[in-house]
Every structure is written in C-alpha cells, then in structure tokens.
C-alpha cells in the first residue's frame, strides 16, 4: 500500500549520449552536463553503462589528474579498476566494491583497468559520483574509505525479496560504514522480481534512482528500465519501489549544500579566486607527485 506524503517523480531520464573519459571509461553524464538537475550534494554522475572491453595487455584508463574540493565515489558492478594517488594510496575495486575518495585539499590520482581484468577483457560497468564538500571541509586532509563487498552493511528484505546494501546513511536501522561530511543516503537495492520496498527521505533532500539492471515501477505508476534515471520532486518523503524483474537500483538522496559553487575541470570550490589558487597550487607541485 502506498503511504501518504509521496515523493513524486519529476522525470524518468534516458542516458545522455556517451563520451570517453581517458580510454577506459565510456560514460553517460546524467548531470551536470547531461541534464540540469538539482542533485546537490551530488555534483556529477558519470554512468559507465555495461559494455564489453576486449582483452588488452596495456590497461586502459585515465592518467594522472588533480582533484580538490570534493569527493569521488566509484561503485563497481562489472570489471575491476586499480587506482593510485600522490599520497601513496593504491588499491583495486572489484564488482560490488565502493571506493570513497575525499580529495579535499588536493590530490593527484590515476585509475586504470586492473591488470588481470585488462588481459582477459569482459563486461565493465561502473558509476562515478562527485560529491561536493561543505566550504568548511574543502581544505581538509585527503582520505580514502574503501568498502569491500564482503564488508558491506546489508539489510535482507523479508520473503526473499532481495537485499539493500547501505553504502552511506541509514536504511531501516542498517547503517553504512562510510562517514560523510553532509547527510547522504546511498544504497544499492538488489531486488528480486516482484519485490516491493519503500524508502523515506526528507522533502528537501535531492533524490535520484539509477536503474543499473532490470526494470522497476515507482510509486505504483512510473516505470524505468536499465540505464534510466528516476529524478524526484523536492516535496513529499515516501517512495514505493517495485521490481518488475530481477533488478539493481542505485539509490541516491542527500541534503543540499546551499553554498555558492565555482567549478573548473577537476576543481570544485566556492569562489573563483579559490579556483585560481587551486590551479596555482597544482602548477607549483603542491598536490604532490605521481608518475603517469
């Protein structure tokens, strides 16, 4: 039964035309360039829809690039990505894993297809989000939070309807292990056909669902299928989700950061002069060193 105080669907969005990021990521940018959506604290959503990469000895990927002022969140569904940064951190994200990198005051970063995956090739599917930081945290110390699939906090739905993996936030008392700088709810809903579950987010939270696999019905009316995004109004709180087939849905909801934004390339700050400072700091080598 549908609860009262429904958070209505504003739009069901098709994936924008894809573009390459480096030679390793073929992404649909849902926002900010694909659609003008009110999704703060999420600034960018690049969705690498499922594709097949051929085997290759030299791994595809993205070379050394800086970040400042925000966090990058990489969620793996198929394939594997290895990463390295100028603070000496490195690791690999496998299917079901999440890497939450707080670039904050600045870091150099590179990410490539993991070597063994690259040599075999195969299906590849990822989401990368840029999560804005409140002004007071933009120049904090960079850090990583890696969540392996085996360590993911999960809530099992009754009657074998599926599971909700809680990456960040709290779903019905199951808390994600990631700590965030502003209130964020982020889950993977892995639902079996016929599953029905509900979500509740404050009216002012910006909310979107990405259908990673399968097809769904929302609030008993709107339907969305693989690679589409459901974007919600900023009114009402309750969302009913039904899986029309076995489905995976990325659930995103967060409290907006109501601060000015100055964005340029890999820098996300509040004022234009902070962008100039970021560029100067990068050129002066203050982000450290990382070999390409």
């Amino acid at each position: 039964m549908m609860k009262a105080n429904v958070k209505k669907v504003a739009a069901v969005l098709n994936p924008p035309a894809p573009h390459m990021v480096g030679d390793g990521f073929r992404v649909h940018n849902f926002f900010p360039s694909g659609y003008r959506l009110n999704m703060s604290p999420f600034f960018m959503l690049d969705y690498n829809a499922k594709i097949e990469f051929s085997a290759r000895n030299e791994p595809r990927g993205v070379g050394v690039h800086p970040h400042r002022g925000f966090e990058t969140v990489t969620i793996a569904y198929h394939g594997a990505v290895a990463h390295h940064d100028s603070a000496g951190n490195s690791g690999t994200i496998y299917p079901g894993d999440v890497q939450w990198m707080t670039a904050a005051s600045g870091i150099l970063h590179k990410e490539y297809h993991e070597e063994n995956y690259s040599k075999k090739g195969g299906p590849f599917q990822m989401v990368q989000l840029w999560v804005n930081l409140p002004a007071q945290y933009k120049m904090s110390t960079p850090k990583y939070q890696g969540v392996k699939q085996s360590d993911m906090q999960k809530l099992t739905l009754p009657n074998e309807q599926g599971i909700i993996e809680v990456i960040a936030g709290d779903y019905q008392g199951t808390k994600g292990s990631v700590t965030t700088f502003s209130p964020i709810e982020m889950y993977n809903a892995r639902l079996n056909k016929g599953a029905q579950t509900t979500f509740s987010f404050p009216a002012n939270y910006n909310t979107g669902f990405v259908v990673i696999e399968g097809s769904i019905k929302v609030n008993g009316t709107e339907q969305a299928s693989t690679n589409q995004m459901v974007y919600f109004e900023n009114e009402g709180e309750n969302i009913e989700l039904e899986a029309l087939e076995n489905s995976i849905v990325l659930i995103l909801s967060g409290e907006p950061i109501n601060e000015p934004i100055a964005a340029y390339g890999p820098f996300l700050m509040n004022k234009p002069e902070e962008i100039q400072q970021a560029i100067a700091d990068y050129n002066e080598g203050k982000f450290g060193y990382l070999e390409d």
Side-chain angles (χ1 to χ4, degrees), residues 9-23:
V9 173
V12 176
L13 304 170
N14 290 318
H19 68 274
M20 293 300 294
V21 177
D23 64 356

Side-chain angles (χ1 to χ4, degrees), residues 6 30 111 116 120 136 224 233:
V6 174
F30 274 101
E111 44 213 329
N116 289 329
K120 291 177 188 167
Q136 62 177 322
E233 303 273 6

Side-chain angles (χ1 to χ4, degrees), residues 191 193 211 213-217 223-226 228 241-249:
L191 304 175
K193 182 179 179 179
V211 185
E213 193 176 289
S215 57
I216 60 173
K217 186 182 280 187
Q223 293 191 22
S225 56
T226 305
Q228 289 185 314
L241 178 60
E242 178 186 353
L244 301 176
E245 56 189 307
N246 292 352
S247 299
I248 301 171
V249 186

Side-chain angles (χ1 to χ4, degrees), residues 238-260:
N238 301 311
I239 300 166
E240 186 180 86
L241 178 60
E242 178 186 353
L244 301 176
E245 56 189 307
N246 292 352
S247 299
I248 301 171
V249 186
L250 175 62
I251 311 291
L252 302 170
S253 190
E255 184 178 75
I257 298 170
N258 294 316
E259 296 174 350

Side-chain angles (χ1 to χ4, degrees), residues 12 18 137 171 207 223 237 263:
V12 176
Y137 300 118
Y171 182 70
T207 304
Q223 293 191 22
E237 296 181 350

Side-chain angles (χ1 to χ4, degrees), residues 1-2 40 42 60 98 131 141 165 167 182 229-230 267 278:
M1 286 290 292
M2 171 57 65
S40 173
F42 311 104
R60 300 172 176 89
V98 174
V131 178
T141 305
E165 298 175 351
I167 300 166
S182 64
M229 178 178 173
V230 183
F267 307 125

